Amino acid sequence: MKFRGYVRPDGRVGIRNHVAVIPASVCASTVAMRVAEQVEGAVALPNQHGCVQIGKDLETTARTLAGLGANPNVASVLVLALGCETLQGERLAGDIARSGKRVELLTIQQCGGTLKTQERALRIARELSQEASQIRTEEADVSHLILALECGGSDTTSGLASNPVHGYVSDKLIAAGGTSVLSETTELIGAEHILARRAVSPEVAARLIEIVRECEARANRMGVDMRGTQPTPGNIQGGLTTIEEKSLGCIHKGGSSPLQGVLEYGEAPTGKGLFVMDTPGQDIESITGMIAGGAQMAVFTTGRGSPTGFPLAPVIKITGNPKTYAMMEENIDVNAGTIIEGTESVADVGERLYAEILQVCNGKRTKAEALKHMEFGLYKLCSTF
């Protein structure tokens, strides 16, 4: 099956054509937002990181921001730096440039302050926007797609309806040569042994178990035992009683395909098929990691309803709760509540969702895009120093 996308210098195919304005640290975030607001097609990624970070925490931020800049939905990048931050602008720009796309860098301290930087940045961003507008779509196979699998605001209908639809679509894409990424390590707790049985090797299975154990250990150090509990009030109100019950529903998003590997946060898949990314259960941070890993879009199941979008990639929203769809139709793209009502099967809704994915690949805006929902957040591993 084919779609029309933007072929990038590294061979990857985007389904959007953004100019990304990426601050290397929080100190450049305001300038980045002001520039993006004034240039058609430009999107800023303001964040509170990049300075006085150390070790693995710094490396995670660097890998994530570089991955977002290199994402195939991005045509070109303007990196803005203050000049004295831990994540130096030269490093970030160089990491993104390995994708082959055009990357420009401005440093506020070298430009002479906010206003001078903004003036220069606007001229560069305008030029990048005009260049991007000249890029034409080409026919591409669905095997180029990487699908981010996400859930949030879960309730009992998530595991019964929308997540199985997610899995149906994931399996269908993988059968066509594509890739899916399952996330939210917190929501594998209690079901990790079931998913591990599908690993392609003992090493992959062991790594999956390891990231779950590490996740639990972090919670234990804070005096919290995740097993037997349910951390979010909304999930409890939605009828979920334990983290294990939630996890059994969550792994349905990964369908039945073999598990090929386990990825670090923001790491790109090394092949085709199903992967797990070690992300937190916080929806925005989880989606950010998968888009940094190269996913061109996310499919987000939500029982109780969520308006979440993302700056660089479309987010398709699906609910298995008929009442939620009726209440939040302006935010939900696909109604899987018909499964609960008995009028459609998982396969029926799965085919509808797959068709919606292809339409979005071909340019249809999701409801989150149309409403300019651009939620964004980076995962932080430890305290700032």
Side-chain angles (χ1 to χ4, degrees):
M1 201 166 288
K2 308 289 184 180
F3 69 96
R4 296 197 65 83
Y6 301 92
V7 179
R8 304 305 181 191
D10 61 3
R12 294 191 292 175
V13 182
I15 62 173
R16 295 296 183 264
N17 199 38
H18 299 296
V19 172
V21 185
I22 305 180
S25 70
V26 62
C27 304
S29 286
T30 296
V31 175
M33 288 188 290
R34 290 176 180 173
V35 171
E37 286 170 358
Q38 297 182 65
V39 177
E40 182 67 28
V43 179
L45 300 179
N47 66 85
Q48 76 275 31
H49 299 310
C51 197
V52 290
Q53 291 182 275
I54 61 173
K56 189 175 180 181
D57 190 42
L58 173 62
E59 294 308 311
T60 299
T61 295
R63 179 175 63 247
T64 304
L65 289 177
L68 291 167
N71 186 283
N73 287 350
V74 174
S76 54
V77 180
L78 172 58
V79 173
L80 296 176
L82 174 60
C84 56
E85 55 265 275
T86 313
L87 177 53
Q88 288 284 284
E90 290 83 2
R91 174 189 174 179
L92 178 57
D95 288 345
I96 297 171
R98 283 200 286 269
S99 66
K101 64 186 63 175
R102 181 178 172 184
V103 182
E104 298 290 340
L105 169 65
L106 289 177
T107 302
I108 295 171
Q109 290 170 348
Q110 294 176 2
C111 289
T114 296
L115 297 179
K116 293 183 179 67
T117 304
Q118 285 178 192
E119 182 181 359
R120 292 181 61 182
L122 281 168
R123 293 181 185 281
I124 292 172
R126 185 266 300 159
E127 183 178 315
L128 296 178
S129 174
Q130 288 184 293
E131 288 181 357
S133 71
Q134 297 300 302
I135 301 173
R136 295 291 175 256
T137 59
E138 301 177 38
E139 188 174 79
D141 193 79
V142 293
S143 59
H144 287 282
L145 289 181
I146 301 177
L147 186 65
L149 310 175
E150 185 63 34
C151 62
S154 299
D155 67 5
T156 53
T157 70
S158 297
L160 293 171
S162 56
N163 288 359
V165 169
H166 223 161
Y168 178 94
V169 166
S170 176
D171 284 342
K172 182 166 183 171
L173 177 63
I174 289 170
T179 303
S180 291
V181 181
L182 183 65
S183 62
E184 299 178 292
T185 306
T186 310
E187 296 175 15
L188 301 179
I189 295 173
E192 70 275 15
H193 61 291
I194 299 174
L195 187 58
R197 294 174 192 154
R198 289 160 49 192
V200 296
S201 70
E203 292 76 17
V204 171
R207 179 57 183 154
L208 179 69
I209 301 298
E210 182 182 20
I211 65 170
V212 174
R213 296 292 180 266
E214 289 173 349
C215 176
E216 288 190 88
R218 290 194 297 271
N220 290 338
R221 287 194 292 270
M222 298 177 66
V224 177
D225 181 4
M226 299 290 286
R227 291 185 185 258
T229 66
Q230 179 47 252
T232 64
N235 293 150
I236 294 171
Q237 293 169 12
L240 297 174
T241 61
T242 65
I243 193 68
E244 293 90 344
E245 185 177 38
K246 184 176 180 180
S247 296
L248 288 168
C250 177
I251 64 172
H252 275 302
K253 300 200 307 288
S256 59
S257 301
L259 178 62
Q260 301 294 328
V262 177
L263 306 169
E264 295 289 337
Y265 184 87
E267 180 184 2
T270 53
K272 303 290 187 177
L274 177 67
F275 290 80
V276 165
M277 182 177 287
D278 185 12
T279 79
Q282 207 273 358
D283 306 334
I284 312 304
E285 294 177 357
S286 178
I287 292 174
T288 298
M290 292 185 285
I291 304 304
Q296 299 102 323
M297 75 162 63
V299 175
F300 188 123
T301 64
T302 176
R304 295 179 58 80
S306 170
T308 298
F310 194 80
L312 300 179
V315 179
I316 298 175
K317 223 67 58 49
I318 173 174
T319 186
N321 190 321
K323 293 181 179 179
T324 297
Y325 185 74
M327 285 291 293
M328 294 187 65
E329 184 178 353
E330 65 186 36
N331 297 111
I332 309 296
D333 299 282
V334 176
N335 178 21
T338 52
I339 297 170
I340 299 297
E341 293 171 329
T343 59
E344 283 188 297
S345 67
V346 168
D348 291 334
V349 182
E351 290 297 323
R352 283 203 288 116
L353 176 57
Y354 197 77
E356 182 75 9
I357 287 172
L358 290 176
Q359 288 183 46
V360 171
C361 285
N362 284 314
K364 178 183 178 181
R365 289 189 179 96
T366 64
K367 291 181 178 179
E369 286 182 295
L371 293 172
K372 292 190 175 181
H373 271 282
M374 294 189 285
E375 286 74 16
F376 177 74
L378 294 179
Y379 183 31
K380 188 160 177 55
L381 303 182
C382 63
S383 299
T384 304
F385 286 88

